[in-house]
Amino acid sequence: MQFKNTREFALELDKSDDLSRFRESFHIPKQKNGEESIYFCGNSLGLQPKQTKEYINQELDDWATLGVEGHFEAMNPWMPYHENLAETTAEIVGAKTHEVVVMNTLTTNLHLLMVSFYQPKGQRRKILIEADAFPSDRFAVASQIQFHGGDPETDLITWKPREDEHTPRISDLEEILNKHGDEIALIMIGAVNYYTGQFFNLKKITELGHKQGCLVGFDCAHGAGNAPLNLHDSGSDFAVWCTYKYLNSGPGSLGGCFVHERHAQNLDLPRFTGWWGHNKETRFGMRDDFDPIYGAEGWQLSNPPILSMAAIKSSLDIFKEAGFENLRAKSIHLTSYLEYLLHEMEGDRIEIITPTETKDRGCQLSLAVKDADKSLFETITEKGVIADWREPDVIRIAPVPLYNSFLDCYKFVEILKESM
Ligand SMILES: *Cc1c(COP(=O)(O)O)cnc(C)c1O
């Protein structure tokens, strides 16, 4: 499509967008002057669906009137509550229903799955991550290496971009693996890098890793609800994510994880266990040996927090109604429009470091600001843009197809221009 750099054109795009009505389903934060903010931080904390309050109130009401009976008698019985989330979650991340479960929080899940999938043996002891991995991921993998008696200085390998490039190349990963593959126990990559917005080819990375005998897992914090992950087809061994970013479930809400079905009944894997991962038929027998549930549910530890799950259900119901494929199609269009508007700007103070090919990114564009001048970010913030600044020099802009508009993109670039 031929884009135009006018407010009228942005409004036209919104008018012909079948998904634009979903914006109404969300609370859009307001500026001090009462106008709606231009919210581009769904990659950090997704906005609140208006119906979430009702979903949570339903559980509070059932708790008030039923007490413990709510486990079976609530409108949405608490005992199997997490099972209601699996189907839509599976659709969004491209997995089979029994391959996913909503539980714990992201970094906790990462540790739990590394207990199972990071098994250093002989000379195969290393973990490979991407350069500029999210700090929590780096801490988690480094501490797992230490836990197994290794030294992150030597056992943590990073896949880096070439000099003067912003994002690492798959051919360089292949080279590392050809040289060091037999020393690497686990490849753990952020499926969509939080800093650059690069969406990696999960299937390719998994194939390259498996060819060398490595296990492969992904942190999909920035992928879930944003990019088509196709986790099952990627063949990866496991994945983890949070639900408070693109999945709009509220601050600190539960995470999710994926365990490929080839491991669904793999009793050889070490795992940390709890009663909620145990066979549902005999869970309340209280005396049996651990008998894991088939699939990802077998990694659960505790009975889950229903109030947080209610918020997740609220958001997932919106995803279901909108359809993830439709959202992705709009997302590509929306981000391409933002990219076009940024290219129309004069000067060279801003450089988009996110890959240009749509298959290599989600909705986020990362803008490197020349001379790491943070005052530009501060100015646009004052003018009503909610985005974020990531050290050393990046403004991250995430137009989310569920609630951002083409007009948001237009207004943002206008504000950016007058702020320079
Ligand atoms: C947001 C994010 C986290 C945060 O982890 P929590 O355990 O949810 O606090 C970790 N890793 C990545 C890649 C993230 O984007």
Side-chain angles (χ1 to χ4, degrees):
M1 175 186 277
Q2 195 65 38
F3 289 133
K4 287 187 204 146
N5 185 5
T6 66
R7 189 181 179 94
E8 290 67 37
F9 186 77
L11 285 166
E12 251 172 62
L13 288 176
D14 282 326
K15 224 165 143 189
S16 57
D17 165 22
D18 291 339
L19 299 176
S20 61
R21 65 195 163 94
F22 284 97
R23 181 179 173 93
E24 282 291 298
S25 307
F26 289 84
H27 291 290
I28 312 284
K30 297 256 173 28
Q31 305 176 44
K32 285 197 195 89
N33 65 11
E35 277 180 43
E36 283 181 348
S37 305
I38 301 173
Y39 193 83
F40 283 135
C41 249
N43 55 354
S44 190
L45 183 69
L47 290 181
Q48 182 185 141
K50 289 178 181 164
Q51 65 186 23
T52 294
K53 207 174 251 177
E54 283 165 44
Y55 278 62
I56 292 176
N57 278 340
Q58 177 67 47
E59 303 316 321
L60 288 173
D61 289 346
D62 285 347
W63 176 27
T65 52
L66 297 166
V68 72
E69 305 292 342
H71 284 295
F72 300 100
E73 306 294 331
M75 193 173 87
N76 308 297
W78 303 329
M79 190 63 69
Y81 200 102
H82 66 278
E83 295 169 23
N84 294 321
L85 309 179
E87 195 179 314
T88 310
T89 299
E91 263 168 48
I92 292 171
V93 300
K96 298 189 177 182
T97 308
H98 60 255
E99 290 176 317
V100 301
V101 65
V102 172
M103 65 178 194
N104 311 317
T105 50
L106 196 167
T107 308
T108 309
N109 287 337
L110 184 54
H111 276 297
L112 285 178
L113 291 178
M114 282 197 285
V115 164
S116 295
F117 295 105
Y118 173 53
Q119 287 302 311
K121 274 192 197 78
Q123 65 157 359
R124 193 186 283 283
R125 319 199 61 82
K126 298 185 178 173
I127 301 181
L128 181 142
I129 60 173
E130 85 273 27
D132 258 331
F134 195 88
S136 197
D137 299 14
R138 257 190 300 112
F139 299 150
V141 296
S143 67
Q144 285 280 336
I145 288 170
Q146 284 167 327
F147 179 73
H148 285 279
D151 179 359
E153 280 291 317
T154 49
D155 292 346
L156 189 54
I157 307 183
T158 48
W159 169 31
K160 296 186 187 67
R162 296 183 186 181
E163 213 174 327
D164 299 327
E165 294 185 6
H166 296 292
T167 49
R169 299 184 186 204
I170 196 89
S171 55
D172 290 345
L173 175 67
E174 193 164 2
E175 201 176 307
I176 298 175
L177 287 169
N178 284 338
K179 271 197 204 135
H180 304 288
D182 59 355
E183 301 161 27
I184 296 172
L186 174 67
I187 298 173
M188 213 304 288
I189 305 284
V192 175
N193 181 270
Y194 83 101
Y195 188 74
T196 63
Q198 179 180 22
F199 175 28
F200 292 105
N201 185 332
L202 309 190
K203 191 176 175 122
K204 182 79 189 166
I205 292 173
T206 305
E207 280 169 7
L208 291 173
H210 282 175
K211 205 167 83 185
Q212 300 291 340
C214 319
L215 292 176
V216 181
F218 295 104
D219 182 333
C220 302
H222 281 260
N226 174 28
L229 299 169
N230 296 320
L231 289 176
H232 177 80
D233 287 342
S234 79
S236 73
D237 296 285
F238 73 92
V240 293
W241 56 89
C242 53
T243 62
Y244 52 79
K245 290 174 179 166
Y246 293 101
L247 294 175
N248 312 318
S249 71
S253 192
L254 293 168
C257 73
F258 160 88
V259 177
H260 196 279
E261 76 179 343
R262 83 175 75 88
H263 301 298
Q265 256 178 331
N266 187 346
L267 298 179
D268 296 335
L269 292 173
R271 65 171 109 179
F272 286 171
T273 58
W275 74 320
W276 227 249
H278 181 84
N279 183 345
K280 291 169 203 175
E281 305 297 317
T282 56
R283 185 187 282 154
F284 288 89
M286 301 297 208
R287 280 171 188 80
D288 305 286
D289 288 337
F290 183 71
D291 174 17
I293 303 171
Y294 179 88
E297 276 190 75
W299 269 262
Q300 293 176 108
L301 300 181
S302 301
N303 82 99
I306 298 299
L307 300 182
S308 170
M309 288 202 162
I312 297 174
K313 184 163 171 17
S314 159
S315 174
L316 292 180
D317 283 353
I318 296 175
F319 269 86
K320 198 167 169 176
E321 194 188 336
F324 185 66
E325 278 181 25
N326 300 332
L327 287 167
R328 171 64 173 169
K330 171 175 173 182
S331 175
I332 289 174
H333 204 41
L334 192 61
T335 296
S336 300
Y337 187 54
L338 174 62
E339 182 182 42
Y340 157 83
L341 293 172
L342 289 165
H343 283 154
E344 289 279 292
M345 283 181 11
E346 314 257 313
D348 64 351
R349 269 181 76 193
I350 296 271
E351 181 192 2
I352 303 174
I353 63 169
T354 307
T356 47
E357 292 248 17
T358 55
K359 70 172 175 42
D360 299 329
R361 68 188 186 199
C363 74
Q364 173 183 325
L365 292 183
S366 300
L367 315 182
V369 181
K370 203 164 188 178
D371 304 325
D373 176 7
K374 195 175 173 185
S375 70
L376 178 63
F377 173 73
E378 285 156 358
T379 310
I380 62 170
T381 303
E382 272 164 35
K383 294 181 176 179
V385 175
I386 303 185
D388 68 18
W389 174 266
R390 283 288 177 266
E391 295 295 340
D393 63 356
V394 158
I395 300 173
R396 300 186 307 170
I397 300 293
V400 170
L402 265 176
Y403 47 75
N404 283 120
S405 62
F406 291 88
L407 185 63
D408 281 339
C409 296
Y410 180 81
K411 283 185 186 163
F412 162 68
V413 176
E414 288 300 296
I415 289 172
L416 194 59
K417 274 193 249 179
E418 55 179 62
S419 306
M420 311 236 290

